[in-house]
Amino acid sequence: RLYEAEVWIDGGTQIFFSYGVGIGSLLALGSYNKFHHNCHRDAIFVCCVNSFTSIFSACVIFSILGYMAHQKGVEVGEVVQSGPALAFLVYPEVVLAIAPSPFWAFLFFIMLLNLGLDTQFSSVESLMTGLVDNWPEQLRPHRKKFTLGMTVFMCLLGLPMITRGGIYVFQLMDFYAASGLSLLWCVFFQTIAICWVFGAKKFYLCIEEMIGYRVSMYWYVCWVFLAPAFMVFIFVFYFVRYSPITMGAYHYPAWGEVLGFAISLSSMLWVPGYAIYYLLSTKGSWSEVLRQGVTPVIKPRKEAVMAEEKARLTYQDVRDVELNIEEDLCDESFVSYDSKKCLGEAL
């Protein structure tokens, strides 16, 4: 199945989703850290734990699927298709076969509940942080009420997915909105904005200033070349090997696919749309507007300004010490040279 675009799209976007890349949760939660917090160590730790959890979950899932396939005398691929049926149909059937089944069923659904709540906490926090930081004077005094209103609004948006035909709506949203092209598109332009517009070298030095040491150049190569190339490869491969969305044996009609692409475009069009709006609404020549548009406008935090000033003063102190040492060495060399010269003349 490596020739199927869906496999690569699902794999790539699952990495983005599980790591919280492109969704905003890492930025929102990381904004509460202190300036000199070791984000590099945390990133390595999260990636290792996440990868280990994925490998462990894969072993558990496929051992269960293998057991069920053996019991039914069919292939593993015929037991269940990927999607919500794996969690809500296959696992409950397995739980009922393990004694005591009520205990394991309770633990299983408590796990699903906590997993969903944890995901929603980070997702809602990222949305609220972005909106409140963008309009602080209007929203920050009413943050709790605004958060409550948004959660109720998002709950209402999710109600159609629990109706009789809601599973088809859920599959459509999951394939075209929650993962897939829209997330890949947004992450690609975020990478380009940070590494090619702001500058990967500046980003590299910013991390060094925060954590106190330089990270491996491997990350620099990933930011600049490997990550964008991988995302472009998946994006192109998706259209080359495109296959229509299905739900088991059900094939979505043409208007369903059009609706799905419209859902994806509702997120994707904002990137070029804002670029066109900025070019048309900003005064000046095209070159001036373009130069102004790609110039980073960053408001550093108080901790960042203090760290920058401290680093500058430290560098100046070190430079003064080096100059003093050089002057002392020059004086000693001069005295030594004169002494030798006098001694030679005396002889």
Side-chain angles (χ1 to χ4, degrees):
R1 297 192 59 189
L2 294 178
Y3 289 99
E4 298 180 9
E6 183 181 354
V7 176
W8 290 91
I9 286 287
D10 290 343
T13 53
Q14 177 61 28
I15 292 296
F16 296 152
F17 189 78
S18 61
Y19 287 165
V21 178
I23 301 174
S25 56
L26 292 178
L27 299 177
L29 300 178
S31 64
Y32 296 102
N33 288 332
K34 296 184 180 299
F35 181 77
H36 291 291
H37 183 77
N38 196 334
C39 56
H40 177 252
R41 179 196 59 197
D42 288 354
I44 298 296
F45 177 76
V46 169
C47 291
C48 292
V49 171
N50 200 320
S51 299
F52 171 77
T53 305
S54 300
I55 295 173
F56 177 76
S57 300
C59 294
V60 174
I61 290 171
F62 282 101
S63 63
I64 293 174
L65 293 179
Y67 168 77
M68 296 184 65
H70 177 73
Q71 291 292 103
K72 297 180 179 181
V74 297
E75 296 293 333
V76 174
E78 300 177 10
V79 176
V80 66
Q81 299 292 327
S82 62
L86 183 63
F88 296 103
L89 296 179
V90 177
Y91 275 0
E93 183 178 348
V94 175
V95 166
L96 292 176
I98 304 175
S101 57
F103 173 73
W104 292 109
F106 172 77
L107 291 181
F108 173 71
F109 285 103
I110 284 295
M111 179 198 70
L112 287 182
L113 178 63
N114 290 331
L115 185 62
L117 290 176
D118 178 70
T119 303
Q120 289 303 310
F121 283 151
S122 58
S123 301
V124 172
E125 178 63 24
S126 64
L127 176 62
M128 294 300 104
T129 301
L131 293 176
V132 172
D133 288 349
N134 199 37
W135 294 284
E137 297 180 357
Q138 294 82 5
L139 298 180
R140 187 161 293 165
H142 311 285
R143 182 184 176 106
K144 293 183 179 180
K145 296 179 181 178
F146 180 66
T147 303
L148 177 62
M150 288 298 297
T151 51
V152 172
F153 174 70
M154 288 185 285
C155 179
L156 295 177
L157 291 179
L159 289 180
M161 300 184 190
I162 60 175
T163 58
R164 184 179 296 273
I167 188 64
Y168 299 99
V169 180
F170 173 84
Q171 183 73 0
L172 195 70
M173 293 290 294
D174 180 66
F175 187 83
Y176 288 104
S179 60
L181 290 182
S182 56
L183 183 58
L184 190 68
W185 176 273
C186 294
V187 173
F188 172 77
F189 280 101
Q190 287 179 14
T191 306
I192 295 299
I194 294 175
C195 299
W196 289 90
V197 178
F198 175 75
K201 291 183 178 179
K202 294 180 182 178
F203 186 64
Y204 189 81
L205 295 176
C206 287
I207 295 178
E208 178 187 359
E209 185 176 346
M210 287 188 292
I211 64 178
Y213 60 89
R214 291 193 174 185
V215 299
S216 173
M217 287 299 295
Y218 166 77
W219 305 115
Y220 179 86
V221 175
C222 287
W223 300 334
V224 178
F225 302 109
L226 298 183
F230 178 73
M231 286 183 279
V232 169
F233 165 75
I234 294 180
F235 193 83
V236 174
F237 190 71
Y238 176 83
F239 287 101
V240 173
R241 305 288 300 182
Y242 173 75
S243 57
I245 181 176
T246 59
M247 181 66 185
Y250 176 78
H251 293 267
Y252 281 75
W255 65 266
E257 292 188 50
V258 173
L259 178 61
F261 278 110
I263 294 173
S264 295
L265 290 175
S266 65
S267 301
M268 299 166 61
L269 288 179
W270 289 104
V271 177
Y274 181 77
I276 296 174
Y277 165 78
Y278 184 85
L279 291 174
L280 296 178
S281 61
T282 306
K283 297 181 180 180
S285 62
W286 286 101
S287 59
E288 294 175 349
V289 173
L290 184 61
R291 189 182 303 109
Q292 182 180 350
V294 298
T295 301
V297 181
I298 299 177
K299 296 180 180 179
R301 296 193 300 179
K302 179 181 178 181
E303 295 86 347
V305 176
M306 294 176 62
E308 183 70 24
E309 185 66 18
K310 183 178 179 181
R312 187 185 65 81
L313 293 176
T314 303
Y315 173 79
Q316 187 64 37
D317 293 340
V318 172
R319 185 58 183 163
D320 292 341
V321 172
E322 291 177 350
L323 291 175
N324 292 333
I325 294 175
E326 291 177 0
E327 291 177 359
D328 293 340
L329 291 176
C330 290
D331 293 340
E332 291 179 1
S333 300
F334 180 76
V335 171
S336 177
Y337 174 77
D338 286 349
S339 300
K340 290 179 181 179
K341 182 178 180 181
C342 293
L343 180 60
E345 291 178 352
L347 293 175

